[in-house]
């Protein structure tokens, strides 16, 4: 029941002295103990006759005890003192605790007898409302229908946003900002601008959803939690369908790595929603959390994150060290997120793209190339980077066709993912691994750093002592394939200056920049120092 509802009862003649009339309370407690906190559970309207008040300092102690216990509001009677002390009003205002003045002619018993039946009616209404929402989900209502019903039943509007900033259903003005607030909030729910954010479920935030309610619901958190629980039920139903699909993806990968026959692989690829001649890519992902001792393992968490980034059509089978997803490459129009993320799909001879149990449209990613796939993954990963303790490492294979290519794609994506790990996270495509970068990624970091320091330290020391640019000149000279004139033009110096600097580099290091072997050594060493260009 809200305080405003109480103020609207004319017979009680209550007056609000300070605080928010929209605050809700769940029960009534009468006390005159000077420190009643241990007898309070939170959410109460506390009624007091002020018999504990002897001097102004008493008000601060009394209100502090109420605030610590989570009391919703305080009603002060006039019978004992004939008025409500100003210091009590100030203490309540400072604590953000609504304060009601109860006139002498209204007894606490009368007030309680008036309020308690109404509270019981509120509880019955809440239970009935909750049953109607749950029943709607049980009858197959999707998230859009659930939000429409919620707006009518609870008067709450908003959206569901994924951790990567995608709007699952509803409307959100700046979903990426809201997703980052959800990821980084020390505690939930949290108020962000004109919204209140609640968690959906209890999983790791990076693979979760956030319920974004319009308005300030911090004092009406029960409504937000009620809606979040209903959204969680819908997500759980979707999760049940995904468990079967993950098992199918796992069987495909195991069969491919086990050298199964082409006929078997073709059949398993079709059950994963990819036709025999249809192009696809393999995504290999892990999400390490350095220092974490609880929660999902990196492979499982990485797979769940990729599923959220790519949508309802994609599932990832978690392996020993990484999760693997098979992603069809289909150019076309992407379905709306609220249509894509509906309840689970049916699985049959046509694969899991056979149809939706809710009759919604089938998900088509609209990704026609591995470049578009990598860009989609990078966009989501950039939002998830707000989590300081989680690194997303993703490898993407080249475009593949036919079941026989699955094994090679898994290995290729695995190499790319390990390169991403060596870089500290991010998304790496197969185009990047067929270079020296893959070879460097296989060398331990301390070995690479030792190699670079041994070769370049004379130049770095010289630059520090003389404020010169030998290291920068070396990098540009190699970029220009040893061309004196091109290097001089890039540096905006005379060509003789470049010649002098190159000779100085050779003298300090004992190397010969006219030989390919020494150029290669310098080139690789510079990769671990990233000199300014």
């Amino acid at each position: 029941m809200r305080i405003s509802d109480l103020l609207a009862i004319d017979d009680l003649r209550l007056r609000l002295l300070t605080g928010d009339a929209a605050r809700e309370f769940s029960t009534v407690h009468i006390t005159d103990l000077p420190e009643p906190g241990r007898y309070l559970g939170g959410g109460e309207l506390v009624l007091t006759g002020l018999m504990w008040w002897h001097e102004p300092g008493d008000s601060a102690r009394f209100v502090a005890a109420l605030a610590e216990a989570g009391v919703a509001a305080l009603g002060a009677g006039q019978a004992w003192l004939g008025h409500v002390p100003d210091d009590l009003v100030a203490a309540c205002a400072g604590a953000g605790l609504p304060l009601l003045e109860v006139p002498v002619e209204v007894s606490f018993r009368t007030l309680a007898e008036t309020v308690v039946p109404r509270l019981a009616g509120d509880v019955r209404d809440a239970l009935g409302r909750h049953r109607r929402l749950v029943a709607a989900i049980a009858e197959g209502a999707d998230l859009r229908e659930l939000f429409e019903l919620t707006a009518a039943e609870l008067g709450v509007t908003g959206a569901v946003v994924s951790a990567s900033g995608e709007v699952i259903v509803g409307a959100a003005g700046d979903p990426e900002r809201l997703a980052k607030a959800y990821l980084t909030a020390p505690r939930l729910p949290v108020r962000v601008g004109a919204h209140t954010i609640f968690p959906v479920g209890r999983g790791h935030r990076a693979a979760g959803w956030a319920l974004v309610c319009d308005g300030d619901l911090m004092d009406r958190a029960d409504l937000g939690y009620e809606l979040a629980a209903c959204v969680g039920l819908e997500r759980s139903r979707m999760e049940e369908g995904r468990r079967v699909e993950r098992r199918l993806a796992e069987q495909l990968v195991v069969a491919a790595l086990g050298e199964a026959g082409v006929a078997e692989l073709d059949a398993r690829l079709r059950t994963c929603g990819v036709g025999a001649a249809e192009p696809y890519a393999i995504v290999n992902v892990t999400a390490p959390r350095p220092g974490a001792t609880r929660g999902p393992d990196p492979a499982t968490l990485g797979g769940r994150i990729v599923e959220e980034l790519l949508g309802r059509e994609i599932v990832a089978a978690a392996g020993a060290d990484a999760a693997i997803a098979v992603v069809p490459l289909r150019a076309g129009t992407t379905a709306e997120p609220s249509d894509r993320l509906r309840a689970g799909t049916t699985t049959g001879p046509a694969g899991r793209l056979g149809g939706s149990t809710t009759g919604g449209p089938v998900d088509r990613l609209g990704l026609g190339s591995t470049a578009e796939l990598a860009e989609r993954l990078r966009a989501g990963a950039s939002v998830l980077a707000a989590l300081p303790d989680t690194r997303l490492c993703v490898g993407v294979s080249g475009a593949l066709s036919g079941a026989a290519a699955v094994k090679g794609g898994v290995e290729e994506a695995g190499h790319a993912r390990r390169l991403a790990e060596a870089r500290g996270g991010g998304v790496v495509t197969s185009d990047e691994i067929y270079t020296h970068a893959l070879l460097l990624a296989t060398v331990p970091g301390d070995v690479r750093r030792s190699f670079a320091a041994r070769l370049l330290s004379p130049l770095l020391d010289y630059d520090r002592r003389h404020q010169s640019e030998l290291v920068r000149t070396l990098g540009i000279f190699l970029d220009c394939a040893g061309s004196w004139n091109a290097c001089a033009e890039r540096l905006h110096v005379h060509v003789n200056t470049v010649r002098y600097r190159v000779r100085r580099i050779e003298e300090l290091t004992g190397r010969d920049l006219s030989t390919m072997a020494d150029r290669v050594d310098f080139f690789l060493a510079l990769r671990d120092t990233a000199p300014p260009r």
Side-chain angles (χ1 to χ4, degrees):
M1 185 176 186
R2 297 187 185 185
I3 294 172
S4 57
D5 298 329
L6 199 58
L7 294 170
I9 303 175
D10 294 335
D11 292 344
L12 297 179
R13 298 188 296 282
L14 304 177
R15 189 162 68 99
L16 181 65
L17 300 181
T18 186
D20 183 6
R23 181 77 62 86
E24 292 184 338
F25 62 95
S26 57
T27 187
V28 176
H29 183 87
I30 302 173
T31 184
D32 268 307
L33 294 174
E35 294 187 8
R38 57 181 173 174
Y39 301 105
L40 300 169
E44 299 95 342
L45 167 62
V46 171
L47 301 178
T48 179
L50 300 176
M51 298 186 68
W52 47 266
W53 191 92
H54 300 289
E55 57 184 12
D58 295 339
S59 293
R61 287 190 294 272
F62 185 79
V63 170
L66 299 185
E68 185 176 356
V71 165
L74 173 64
Q78 293 180 319
W80 179 253
L81 298 177
H83 68 284
V84 176
D86 292 340
D87 52 275
L88 179 59
V89 177
C92 287
L97 184 68
L99 175 61
L100 297 169
E101 180 185 71
V102 183
V104 174
E105 58 271 20
V106 177
S107 69
F108 289 164
R109 178 179 177 180
T110 299
L111 197 157
E113 289 177 347
T114 302
V115 170
V116 169
R118 296 170 184 255
L119 288 172
D122 287 348
V123 171
R124 287 192 297 271
D125 289 345
L127 289 174
R129 184 177 61 219
H130 186 72
R131 289 192 189 100
R132 289 191 292 274
L133 292 174
V134 173
I137 295 173
E139 292 169 3
D142 63 20
L143 288 177
R144 177 184 288 131
E145 292 166 336
L146 174 63
F147 261 61
E148 291 172 355
L149 182 60
T150 298
E153 292 279 357
L154 305 179
V156 176
T157 58
V160 176
V161 177
S162 74
S164 59
E166 180 184 24
V167 178
I168 308 300
V169 67
D174 191 347
E176 288 192 6
R177 180 177 70 92
L178 295 170
K180 289 178 180 178
Y182 158 72
L183 289 170
T184 58
R187 295 182 62 184
L188 294 169
V190 64
R191 176 77 184 277
V192 179
H195 309 284
T196 308
I197 300 177
F198 294 84
V200 175
R202 295 182 177 274
H204 193 276
R205 290 190 192 183
W209 287 356
L211 170 64
V212 180
C213 296
D214 296 331
D216 183 359
L217 263 67
M218 296 300 289
D219 292 334
R220 303 174 63 199
D222 58 318
L223 295 182
Y225 280 121
E226 185 175 346
L227 178 54
C230 292
V231 174
L233 288 175
E234 172 68 359
R235 184 172 182 181
S236 296
R237 185 168 65 181
M238 295 167 56
E239 186 68 15
E240 288 299 321
R242 280 184 168 179
R243 286 192 181 96
V244 175
E245 296 165 1
R246 290 183 191 124
R247 181 62 177 166
L248 294 173
E250 178 185 344
Q251 291 172 349
L252 169 65
V253 173
V254 170
L257 297 180
E259 306 290 349
V262 174
E264 179 185 349
L265 291 177
D266 279 338
R268 294 196 181 281
L269 190 60
R270 285 196 301 272
T271 64
C272 291
V274 181
E278 187 175 15
Y280 62 93
I282 301 292
V283 172
N284 189 294
V285 59
T286 185
R289 296 181 296 137
T293 57
R294 300 177 61 185
D297 62 84
T300 299
L301 178 58
R304 301 301 180 267
I305 291 174
V306 161
E307 290 176 353
E308 292 299 332
L309 291 179
L310 298 182
R312 181 70 189 94
E313 184 181 347
I314 302 305
V315 295
D321 62 344
I324 297 170
V326 181
V327 183
L329 299 176
R330 301 184 177 109
T333 303
T334 304
E336 290 298 320
S338 56
D339 289 335
R340 293 197 294 104
L341 293 161
R342 300 169 74 91
T345 57
T346 58
T347 304
R352 58 187 173 81
L353 295 182
S356 168
T357 57
T358 61
V362 173
D363 181 14
R364 299 291 181 182
L365 282 176
L367 301 175
S369 67
T370 54
E372 293 176 1
L373 171 59
E375 185 59 31
R376 171 80 66 88
L377 292 167
R378 290 190 181 101
S382 68
V383 179
L384 292 168
L387 271 177
D389 61 343
T390 302
R391 294 187 296 118
L392 187 64
C393 305
V394 184
V396 181
S397 75
L400 308 170
S401 180
V406 172
K407 180 179 179 181
V410 170
E411 294 174 349
E412 190 176 77
H415 289 314
R417 187 259 303 168
R418 284 184 281 276
L419 178 54
E421 288 178 331
R423 292 177 175 176
V427 180
V428 174
T429 66
S430 63
D431 294 338
E432 299 178 70
I433 66 173
Y434 294 113
T435 67
H436 66 278
L438 177 60
L439 296 178
L440 289 178
T442 63
V443 179
D446 56 344
V447 175
R448 297 198 313 271
R449 288 187 291 273
S450 176
F451 170 76
R454 184 181 182 89
L455 187 57
L456 298 177
S457 58
L459 306 182
L460 294 168
D461 291 341
Y462 187 90
D463 282 346
R464 278 193 295 269
R465 291 197 308 270
H466 300 279
Q467 288 77 50
S468 58
E469 294 188 323
L470 294 187
V471 174
R472 180 168 181 263
T473 300
L474 173 61
I476 294 176
F477 181 74
L478 295 175
D479 281 349
C480 295
S483 169
W484 306 98
N485 291 326
C487 182
E489 186 176 343
R490 287 268 301 275
L491 288 169
H492 305 291
V493 298
H494 194 275
V495 67
N496 288 338
T497 301
V498 175
R499 293 180 185 275
Y500 167 79
R501 290 179 183 178
V502 168
R503 283 198 303 271
R504 196 75 182 121
I505 290 169
E506 293 175 332
E507 291 170 359
L508 291 170
T509 62
R511 299 297 187 105
D512 183 358
L513 278 170
S514 67
T515 67
M516 179 60 70
D518 285 347
R519 286 189 184 185
V520 169
D521 284 347
F522 278 124
F523 175 81
L524 295 178
L526 287 170
R527 302 281 75 74
D528 275 312
T529 58
R533 297 294 177 89

